[in-house]
Amino acid sequence: MINVERLTKSFRGRKNVEIAVDDVSFSVREGEFFTLLGPSGCGKTTTLRCIAGLEHPDSGAIHLGEETVFRDRVLVPSHRRDIGMVFQSYAVWPHLSVFENVAFPLRVSQERMTRHQVKAEVRDVLELVGLHGLDERMSTDLSGGQQQRLALARALVRKPTVLLLDEPLSNLDARLRERMRMELRLIQKRTGLTTLFVTHDQVEALSMSDRMAVMSGGRIVQVATPQEFYTQPSSAFVATFLGGVNLLPGKIVRLAPWPDGRGTHAVVEVAFGEVTGLVGSEGLDVGDSVVAAIRYEDVRVRRATRDEELEENTFPGQVAGFLYEGASFDYHVDVGDHEIRARIGSRNEFLEDGATVATTFPARYLRVLTADDPAHQAAAPDGAGAADQTETVRIGADAEAS
Ligand SMILES: Nc1ncnc2c1ncn2[C@@H]1O[C@H](COP(=O)(O)OP(=O)(O)OP(=O)(O)O)[C@@H](O)[C@H]1O
Ligand SMILES: [Mg+2]
């Protein structure tokens, strides 16, 4: 439904050219809720604005359904694109009532509508977003969540085929944000509207998306479902961007097929010994510097005796501290010189500070990943920007991620 091919957009400053979106390709399927997730400045908004027709891309192509809205000399203006949009500062019109806010897009549209039709359409969409009965209220007399819904109603009233949402929930307080997540998702499902959502909030992305793309430095580094992202990140950058993960730097010493025939396993020499895990990044070989990544909740920790024989992927450690989180303990365990974090359900045996433990990294949960941010890797060669006198700067790649 939305198809973006090799989209590039740069901004020319006085001294340099900033590449905000760098060769980005992705497709959003009909009816899908698709999210662009990434740190501040990685190019999410610029990508969305290109799709909306609010920025003129340098190159690439954008298709909405059957229609090509951007390519070479084709540039369909924003108001001709069949889209609805909600932005971070949802900007409802303060001098208009709820009804008039929603009716406005209908009044200015090319389609001629009778007053009766306008009224019916507005009523329907206010019903959909849960604002029925508030038609006559001034928009400024609404709560934050209601204003958010009003902005959504305004975007939906012309029945667009595509909905673009740029951090629409970030102005709301935490509790309201959580509720609006669920509501927004329900409205999206009810309407079956193809939706492209932009956020830098990992929980929002994981909880709302059918599929998502993680961006860094103007590039897409992985496209997958939320579950795949969480359990099968393709790089250390993506793994750390989504939830707590231990990263053990090391070198690959052996590669072998995984016992069930799917994938490859690697033995990695890390600071305190050899660990075995599943290869998660492409193109890795013996001798490569990698990180062995395992999520806090996948590490096992149990009380052990000092001279006990330990099984594979298991190392002696000592509890250095813990945080009680109600449902779980967040243990900090010294293994060699490394501090490992393990999230263990609080119904398990309590391990006090200083306890001698065996720390296990189950091989099926340990992923061997490229150490670098793939966006940076791809950026390295070819001395970009040397031809003209300007310097090419990759934006936002270092922000927040680490
Ligand atoms: N009109 C502009 N002129 C110059 N540079 C711009 C312009 N718009 C965006 N940029 C730059 O392009 C980069 C990408 O910006 P963009 O707004 O797309 O990031 P973002 O991922 O949406 O970030 P955030 O999460 O902070 O909203 C930023 O470094 C920004 O400074
Ligand atoms: Mg933005």
Side-chain angles (χ1 to χ4, degrees):
M1 183 53 83
I2 305 173
N3 191 13
V4 175
E5 288 168 20
R6 312 209 60 172
L7 182 71
T8 297
K9 170 69 187 172
S10 52
F11 293 102
R12 192 165 282 273
R14 215 174 291 158
K15 284 220 286 292
N16 53 26
V17 175
E18 294 196 347
I19 304 175
V21 178
D22 188 1
D23 200 12
V24 158
S25 302
F26 64 95
S27 295
V28 183
R29 300 172 191 145
E30 186 163 357
E32 197 172 34
F33 194 106
F34 189 98
T35 300
L36 297 177
L37 172 70
S40 186
C42 72
K44 305 179 295 293
T45 294
T46 307
T47 304
L48 209 68
R49 286 174 57 85
C50 287
I51 295 169
L54 300 171
E55 297 286 357
H56 190 161
D58 301 344
S59 58
I62 300 170
H63 314 277
L64 296 178
E66 301 290 291
E67 194 186 11
T68 300
V69 294
F70 171 72
R71 151 167 281 157
D72 303 328
R73 262 151 278 133
V74 181
L75 183 69
V76 176
S78 187
H79 65 274
R80 290 271 164 71
R81 299 189 187 186
D82 192 9
I83 48 177
M85 278 185 285
V86 179
F87 290 107
Q88 177 172 353
S89 52
Y90 32 83
V92 296
W93 289 300
H95 51 287
L96 296 180
S97 68
V98 167
F99 183 91
E100 285 304 326
N101 258 276
V102 181
F104 188 79
L106 296 177
R107 298 205 203 285
V108 298
S109 90
Q110 260 91 350
E111 260 175 273
R112 288 249 158 255
M113 287 180 120
T114 64
R115 281 177 52 161
H116 188 75
Q117 280 170 320
V118 169
K119 207 163 179 175
E121 295 289 336
V122 173
R123 285 273 147 80
D124 280 353
V125 75
L126 286 178
E127 177 94 39
L128 179 69
V129 302
L131 284 181
H132 43 278
L134 294 176
D135 320 32
E136 300 311 321
R137 184 82 68 86
M138 287 308 282
S139 60
T140 38
D141 297 337
L142 297 175
S143 72
Q146 288 169 331
Q147 291 193 23
Q148 186 57 58
R149 269 180 271 212
L150 179 55
L152 189 61
R154 210 172 49 187
L156 294 173
V157 73
R158 283 179 62 188
K159 302 197 169 62
T161 51
V162 167
L163 183 62
L164 305 177
L165 303 171
D166 191 356
E167 313 235 10
L169 306 183
S170 59
N171 273 349
L172 306 177
D173 69 53
R175 246 183 32 166
L176 195 52
R177 193 157 59 220
E178 223 163 274
R179 213 181 69 211
M180 282 304 292
R181 260 181 218 153
M182 184 70 94
E183 288 201 15
L184 185 55
R185 195 58 227 263
L186 283 175
I187 291 168
Q188 190 268 340
K189 279 193 177 140
R190 221 174 293 149
T191 54
L193 207 60
T194 307
T195 302
L196 180 58
F197 182 79
V198 160
T199 184
H200 63 262
D201 182 319
Q202 42 151 306
V203 178
E204 221 162 84
L206 287 174
S207 61
M208 295 179 76
S209 315
D210 290 316
R211 287 189 308 142
M212 53 198 255
V214 167
M215 290 185 75
S216 167
R219 287 175 173 253
I220 286 182
V221 292
Q222 189 176 357
V223 179
T225 65
Q227 289 87 343
E228 286 165 347
F229 261 112
Y230 198 75
T231 58
Q232 300 160 39
S234 66
S235 65
F237 170 81
V238 173
T240 49
F241 200 68
L242 294 163
V245 63
N246 294 290
L247 297 179
L248 310 170
K251 268 199 166 54
I252 297 181
V253 292
R254 265 193 315 285
L255 286 171
W258 193 253
D260 69 1
R262 294 182 305 165
T264 307
H265 77 191
V267 179
V268 179
E269 174 94 60
V270 300
F272 48 78
E274 287 185 353
V275 295
T276 301
L278 192 62
V279 172
S281 303
E282 279 170 36
L284 293 181
D285 214 338
V286 173
D288 285 354
S289 292
V290 289
V291 291
I294 186 158
R295 297 221 171 266
Y296 298 165
E297 65 267 30
D298 292 332
V299 178
R300 307 268 156 77
V301 181
R302 61 173 173 84
R303 195 178 295 281
T305 52
R306 215 166 280 281
D307 42 9
E308 183 179 328
E309 182 103 4
L310 297 174
E311 64 272 27
E312 194 198 38
N313 272 13
T314 302
F315 302 88
Q318 198 164 33
V319 175
F322 60 84
L323 294 167
Y324 178 56
E325 296 173 332
S328 56
F329 281 98
D330 176 14
Y331 285 109
H332 295 226
V333 181
D334 287 332
V335 178
D337 286 338
H338 230 285
E339 187 179 79
I340 299 296
R341 290 178 62 179
R343 184 161 293 134
I344 311 278
S346 48
R347 301 263 188 245
N348 290 277
E349 186 196 3
F350 172 66
L351 301 163
E352 71 287 354
D353 280 351
T356 300
V357 294
T359 311
T360 303
F361 308 111
R364 67 183 177 284
Y365 300 136
L366 189 121
R367 290 182 68 81
V368 178
L369 301 172
T370 171
D372 307 307
D373 175 357
H376 288 279
Q377 277 182 333
D382 82 41
D388 54 6
Q389 291 293 305
T390 55
E391 186 196 353
T392 302
V393 181
R394 195 161 297 277
I395 304 151
D398 302 318
E400 279 179 18
S402 58

